Short mmCIF file of all heavy atoms in Angstrom, two decimals:
data_model
loop_
_atom_site.label_atom_id
_atom_site.label_comp_id
_atom_site.label_asym_id
_atom_site.label_seq_id
_atom_site.Cartn_x
_atom_site.Cartn_y
_atom_site.Cartn_z
N ASN O 5 117.43 5.55 -19.60
CA ASN O 5 117.80 4.36 -20.22
C ASN O 5 117.44 3.10 -19.47
O ASN O 5 117.90 3.00 -18.36
CB ASN O 5 119.43 4.32 -20.68
CG ASN O 5 119.69 3.09 -21.45
OD1 ASN O 5 120.00 2.03 -20.95
ND2 ASN O 5 119.64 3.28 -22.74
N LEU O 6 116.74 2.22 -20.08
CA LEU O 6 116.46 0.94 -19.43
C LEU O 6 117.11 -0.13 -20.32
O LEU O 6 116.94 -0.22 -21.53
CB LEU O 6 114.97 0.69 -19.33
CG LEU O 6 114.17 1.49 -18.34
CD1 LEU O 6 113.86 2.80 -18.85
CD2 LEU O 6 112.99 0.72 -17.86
N HIS O 7 117.82 -1.02 -19.57
CA HIS O 7 118.47 -2.15 -20.28
C HIS O 7 118.02 -3.59 -19.63
O HIS O 7 118.38 -3.75 -18.44
CB HIS O 7 120.08 -1.98 -20.13
CG HIS O 7 120.78 -3.04 -20.74
ND1 HIS O 7 120.74 -3.37 -22.12
CD2 HIS O 7 121.53 -3.98 -20.16
CE1 HIS O 7 121.48 -4.42 -22.31
NE2 HIS O 7 121.97 -4.94 -21.21
N GLN O 8 117.31 -4.23 -20.45
CA GLN O 8 116.86 -5.58 -19.96
C GLN O 8 116.37 -5.63 -18.52
O GLN O 8 116.81 -6.48 -17.78
CB GLN O 8 118.14 -6.57 -20.12
CG GLN O 8 118.26 -7.10 -21.51
CD GLN O 8 117.06 -7.80 -22.08
OE1 GLN O 8 116.56 -8.74 -21.48
NE2 GLN O 8 116.49 -7.29 -23.17
N VAL O 9 115.41 -4.80 -18.31
CA VAL O 9 114.89 -4.73 -16.94
C VAL O 9 113.82 -5.78 -16.62
O VAL O 9 112.91 -5.96 -17.43
CB VAL O 9 114.29 -3.33 -16.61
CG1 VAL O 9 113.56 -3.37 -15.34
CG2 VAL O 9 115.40 -2.25 -16.68
N HIS O 10 114.04 -6.60 -15.62
CA HIS O 10 113.07 -7.56 -15.18
C HIS O 10 112.55 -7.18 -13.76
O HIS O 10 113.38 -6.83 -12.87
CB HIS O 10 113.70 -8.84 -15.17
CG HIS O 10 114.05 -9.49 -16.47
ND1 HIS O 10 113.13 -10.42 -17.05
CD2 HIS O 10 115.05 -9.35 -17.28
CE1 HIS O 10 113.68 -10.76 -18.29
NE2 HIS O 10 114.78 -10.18 -18.44
N LYS O 11 111.30 -7.37 -13.62
CA LYS O 11 110.65 -7.01 -12.34
C LYS O 11 109.64 -8.08 -11.96
O LYS O 11 108.83 -8.57 -12.82
CB LYS O 11 109.97 -5.66 -12.47
CG LYS O 11 108.86 -5.37 -11.45
CD LYS O 11 109.42 -4.86 -10.15
CE LYS O 11 108.50 -4.79 -9.10
NZ LYS O 11 109.11 -4.78 -7.75
N TYR O 12 109.70 -8.61 -10.82
CA TYR O 12 108.85 -9.61 -10.28
C TYR O 12 108.11 -9.11 -9.04
O TYR O 12 108.70 -8.37 -8.19
CB TYR O 12 109.59 -10.80 -9.83
CG TYR O 12 110.33 -11.60 -10.90
CD1 TYR O 12 111.59 -11.14 -11.31
CD2 TYR O 12 109.80 -12.77 -11.55
CE1 TYR O 12 112.32 -11.75 -12.32
CE2 TYR O 12 110.52 -13.36 -12.51
CZ TYR O 12 111.75 -12.97 -12.90
OH TYR O 12 112.47 -13.62 -13.85
N TYR O 13 106.92 -9.40 -8.97
CA TYR O 13 106.10 -9.26 -7.66
C TYR O 13 106.01 -10.63 -7.13
O TYR O 13 105.08 -11.35 -7.66
CB TYR O 13 104.77 -8.58 -7.83
CG TYR O 13 104.65 -7.05 -8.05
CD1 TYR O 13 104.29 -6.56 -9.26
CD2 TYR O 13 105.08 -6.26 -7.01
CE1 TYR O 13 104.26 -5.24 -9.39
CE2 TYR O 13 105.08 -4.96 -7.20
CZ TYR O 13 104.64 -4.29 -8.47
OH TYR O 13 104.62 -3.07 -8.59
N GLY O 14 106.77 -11.13 -6.24
CA GLY O 14 106.76 -12.41 -5.83
C GLY O 14 107.08 -13.37 -6.98
O GLY O 14 108.15 -13.27 -7.54
N ASP O 15 106.18 -14.19 -7.39
CA ASP O 15 106.30 -15.03 -8.54
C ASP O 15 105.80 -14.47 -9.85
O ASP O 15 106.12 -15.00 -10.90
CB ASP O 15 105.54 -16.36 -8.33
CG ASP O 15 106.12 -17.25 -7.20
OD1 ASP O 15 107.29 -17.10 -6.98
OD2 ASP O 15 105.49 -18.12 -6.61
N LEU O 16 105.14 -13.36 -9.68
CA LEU O 16 104.57 -12.75 -10.86
C LEU O 16 105.61 -11.92 -11.60
O LEU O 16 106.22 -10.95 -11.15
CB LEU O 16 103.49 -11.77 -10.44
CG LEU O 16 102.59 -11.20 -11.58
CD1 LEU O 16 101.75 -12.35 -12.29
CD2 LEU O 16 101.63 -10.15 -10.98
N HIS O 17 105.88 -12.41 -12.84
CA HIS O 17 106.92 -11.69 -13.70
C HIS O 17 106.31 -10.57 -14.44
O HIS O 17 105.50 -10.77 -15.33
CB HIS O 17 107.43 -12.69 -14.63
CG HIS O 17 108.74 -12.39 -15.27
ND1 HIS O 17 109.49 -13.14 -16.13
CD2 HIS O 17 109.52 -11.23 -15.17
CE1 HIS O 17 110.58 -12.62 -16.48
NE2 HIS O 17 110.63 -11.50 -15.92
N VAL O 18 106.50 -9.37 -13.95
CA VAL O 18 105.67 -8.22 -14.52
C VAL O 18 106.42 -7.52 -15.66
O VAL O 18 105.73 -7.14 -16.67
CB VAL O 18 105.32 -7.25 -13.42
CG1 VAL O 18 104.50 -6.11 -13.89
CG2 VAL O 18 104.64 -7.95 -12.19
N LEU O 19 107.68 -7.22 -15.50
CA LEU O 19 108.40 -6.68 -16.61
C LEU O 19 109.43 -7.77 -17.06
O LEU O 19 110.15 -8.26 -16.27
CB LEU O 19 109.13 -5.40 -16.16
CG LEU O 19 108.31 -4.32 -15.63
CD1 LEU O 19 109.11 -3.16 -15.22
CD2 LEU O 19 107.28 -3.80 -16.66
N LYS O 20 109.38 -7.98 -18.35
CA LYS O 20 110.15 -9.15 -18.95
C LYS O 20 111.17 -8.64 -19.88
O LYS O 20 111.13 -8.96 -21.01
CB LYS O 20 109.21 -10.21 -19.60
CG LYS O 20 108.16 -10.71 -18.68
CD LYS O 20 107.08 -11.55 -19.43
CE LYS O 20 105.98 -12.01 -18.47
NZ LYS O 20 104.86 -12.45 -19.18
N GLY O 21 112.21 -8.05 -19.24
CA GLY O 21 113.21 -7.47 -20.21
C GLY O 21 112.95 -6.33 -21.01
O GLY O 21 112.84 -6.48 -22.21
N ILE O 22 112.84 -5.20 -20.32
CA ILE O 22 112.39 -3.97 -20.96
C ILE O 22 113.74 -3.21 -21.46
O ILE O 22 114.69 -2.96 -20.70
CB ILE O 22 111.63 -2.96 -20.04
CG1 ILE O 22 110.48 -3.73 -19.46
CG2 ILE O 22 111.35 -1.68 -20.73
CD1 ILE O 22 109.28 -3.74 -20.44
N ASP O 23 113.80 -2.85 -22.72
CA ASP O 23 114.82 -1.98 -23.26
C ASP O 23 114.05 -0.79 -23.66
O ASP O 23 113.16 -0.81 -24.43
CB ASP O 23 115.59 -2.62 -24.46
CG ASP O 23 116.52 -3.72 -24.04
OD1 ASP O 23 117.30 -3.42 -23.15
OD2 ASP O 23 116.39 -4.80 -24.57
N LEU O 24 114.58 0.38 -23.19
CA LEU O 24 113.96 1.62 -23.60
C LEU O 24 114.99 2.73 -23.53
O LEU O 24 115.89 2.76 -22.60
CB LEU O 24 112.76 1.87 -22.65
CG LEU O 24 111.77 3.03 -23.05
CD1 LEU O 24 111.08 2.64 -24.31
CD2 LEU O 24 110.78 3.15 -21.96
N ASP O 25 114.95 3.70 -24.47
CA ASP O 25 115.81 4.72 -24.49
C ASP O 25 115.08 6.06 -24.75
O ASP O 25 114.40 6.17 -25.79
CB ASP O 25 116.97 4.51 -25.59
CG ASP O 25 118.15 5.44 -25.38
OD1 ASP O 25 118.83 5.26 -24.37
OD2 ASP O 25 118.18 6.45 -26.08
N ILE O 26 115.23 6.98 -23.80
CA ILE O 26 114.42 8.22 -23.93
C ILE O 26 115.46 9.37 -24.06
O ILE O 26 116.33 9.48 -23.03
CB ILE O 26 113.46 8.38 -22.79
CG1 ILE O 26 112.40 7.26 -22.84
CG2 ILE O 26 112.79 9.70 -22.88
CD1 ILE O 26 111.58 7.13 -21.52
N LYS O 27 115.35 10.14 -25.02
CA LYS O 27 116.27 11.35 -25.15
C LYS O 27 115.65 12.53 -24.59
O LYS O 27 114.44 12.77 -24.56
CB LYS O 27 116.64 11.45 -26.58
CG LYS O 27 117.43 10.33 -27.14
CD LYS O 27 117.87 10.61 -28.55
CE LYS O 27 118.68 9.44 -29.11
NZ LYS O 27 118.11 8.11 -28.82
N ALA O 28 116.45 13.56 -24.18
CA ALA O 28 115.98 14.76 -23.71
C ALA O 28 115.02 15.43 -24.67
O ALA O 28 115.34 15.44 -25.87
CB ALA O 28 117.15 15.67 -23.34
N GLY O 29 113.93 15.89 -24.21
CA GLY O 29 113.00 16.65 -25.10
C GLY O 29 111.98 15.75 -25.78
O GLY O 29 111.02 16.22 -26.40
N GLU O 30 112.05 14.35 -25.61
CA GLU O 30 111.12 13.49 -26.20
C GLU O 30 109.94 13.51 -25.28
O GLU O 30 109.88 13.64 -24.10
CB GLU O 30 111.64 12.08 -26.30
CG GLU O 30 112.54 11.93 -27.52
CD GLU O 30 112.95 10.35 -27.68
OE1 GLU O 30 113.17 9.72 -26.72
OE2 GLU O 30 112.91 9.95 -28.77
N VAL O 31 108.68 13.29 -26.06
CA VAL O 31 107.49 12.98 -25.29
C VAL O 31 106.99 11.57 -25.66
O VAL O 31 106.64 11.33 -26.83
CB VAL O 31 106.43 14.03 -25.76
CG1 VAL O 31 105.03 13.69 -25.12
CG2 VAL O 31 106.82 15.49 -25.44
N VAL O 32 107.21 10.74 -24.72
CA VAL O 32 106.97 9.30 -24.94
C VAL O 32 105.60 8.95 -24.25
O VAL O 32 105.41 9.07 -23.07
CB VAL O 32 108.13 8.51 -24.36
CG1 VAL O 32 107.92 7.01 -24.53
CG2 VAL O 32 109.45 8.90 -24.85
N SER O 33 104.80 8.37 -25.05
CA SER O 33 103.50 7.80 -24.53
C SER O 33 103.58 6.27 -24.40
O SER O 33 103.94 5.58 -25.34
CB SER O 33 102.36 8.12 -25.54
OG SER O 33 102.38 9.52 -25.74
N ILE O 34 103.31 5.75 -23.31
CA ILE O 34 103.25 4.44 -22.98
C ILE O 34 101.79 3.91 -23.07
O ILE O 34 101.04 4.42 -22.26
CB ILE O 34 103.97 3.96 -21.68
CG1 ILE O 34 105.33 4.51 -21.75
CG2 ILE O 34 103.89 2.54 -21.48
CD1 ILE O 34 106.13 4.29 -20.44
N ILE O 35 101.47 3.02 -23.96
CA ILE O 35 100.08 2.53 -23.98
C ILE O 35 100.11 1.02 -23.83
O ILE O 35 101.16 0.40 -23.88
CB ILE O 35 99.39 3.02 -25.35
CG1 ILE O 35 100.21 2.28 -26.58
CG2 ILE O 35 99.31 4.47 -25.47
CD1 ILE O 35 99.46 2.53 -27.94
N GLY O 36 98.95 0.53 -23.56
CA GLY O 36 98.77 -0.93 -23.47
C GLY O 36 97.69 -1.28 -22.55
O GLY O 36 97.10 -0.38 -21.85
N LYS O 37 97.31 -2.54 -22.58
CA LYS O 37 96.12 -3.03 -21.83
C LYS O 37 96.36 -2.91 -20.36
O LYS O 37 97.56 -2.88 -19.84
CB LYS O 37 95.83 -4.47 -22.13
CG LYS O 37 94.98 -4.63 -23.47
CD LYS O 37 94.37 -5.98 -23.55
CE LYS O 37 95.35 -7.10 -23.60
NZ LYS O 37 94.88 -8.40 -24.15
N SER O 38 95.35 -2.86 -19.45
CA SER O 38 95.44 -2.97 -18.02
C SER O 38 96.17 -4.19 -17.64
O SER O 38 96.07 -5.33 -18.13
CB SER O 38 94.13 -2.99 -17.53
OG SER O 38 94.16 -3.09 -16.12
N GLY O 39 97.20 -4.09 -16.73
CA GLY O 39 98.01 -5.12 -16.28
C GLY O 39 99.20 -5.40 -17.12
O GLY O 39 100.00 -6.35 -16.79
N SER O 40 99.46 -4.64 -18.15
CA SER O 40 100.57 -4.94 -18.98
C SER O 40 101.95 -4.50 -18.39
O SER O 40 103.01 -4.78 -18.87
CB SER O 40 100.39 -4.37 -20.41
OG SER O 40 100.13 -2.99 -20.28
N GLY O 41 101.80 -3.71 -17.29
CA GLY O 41 103.06 -3.32 -16.61
C GLY O 41 103.49 -1.77 -16.75
O GLY O 41 104.52 -1.50 -16.50
N LYS O 42 102.54 -0.97 -17.30
CA LYS O 42 102.93 0.47 -17.60
C LYS O 42 103.26 1.22 -16.29
O LYS O 42 104.35 1.85 -16.23
CB LYS O 42 101.68 1.09 -18.27
CG LYS O 42 101.25 0.36 -19.51
CD LYS O 42 100.05 1.07 -20.14
CE LYS O 42 98.81 1.15 -19.30
NZ LYS O 42 98.10 -0.09 -19.05
N SER O 43 102.41 1.09 -15.29
CA SER O 43 102.70 1.79 -14.06
C SER O 43 104.04 1.25 -13.36
O SER O 43 104.81 2.05 -12.94
CB SER O 43 101.56 1.66 -13.10
OG SER O 43 100.38 2.17 -13.63
N THR O 44 104.08 0.02 -13.39
CA THR O 44 105.28 -0.56 -12.82
C THR O 44 106.61 -0.04 -13.38
O THR O 44 107.55 0.26 -12.84
CB THR O 44 105.20 -2.16 -13.00
OG1 THR O 44 103.97 -2.66 -12.51
CG2 THR O 44 106.39 -2.77 -12.22
N LEU O 45 106.52 0.04 -14.79
CA LEU O 45 107.63 0.51 -15.47
C LEU O 45 108.03 1.96 -15.01
O LEU O 45 109.21 2.32 -14.75
CB LEU O 45 107.30 0.60 -17.05
CG LEU O 45 108.42 1.12 -17.96
CD1 LEU O 45 109.65 0.30 -17.91
CD2 LEU O 45 107.88 1.26 -19.38
N LEU O 46 107.02 2.87 -14.93
CA LEU O 46 107.31 4.23 -14.38
C LEU O 46 107.82 4.14 -13.02
O LEU O 46 108.76 4.99 -12.67
CB LEU O 46 105.98 5.06 -14.41
CG LEU O 46 105.40 5.58 -15.72
CD1 LEU O 46 104.38 6.78 -15.43
CD2 LEU O 46 106.53 6.16 -16.60
#
Side-chain angles (χ1 to χ4, degrees):
Chain O
N5 183 275
L6 286 83
H7 175 68
Q8 279 302 304
V9 172
H10 287 263
K11 160 81 188 162
Y12 297 81
Y13 282 115
D15 289 338
L16 189 65
H17 198 175
V18 181
L19 299 181
K20 303 172 182 165
I22 303 284
D23 285 310
L24 194 61
D25 195 73
I26 297 168
K27 293 183 178 50
E30 275 189 321
V31 176
V32 179
S33 307
I34 300 175
I35 60 172
K37 278 196 298 197
S38 178
S40 56
K42 309 179 296 291
S43 298
T44 307
L45 178 65
L46 282 198

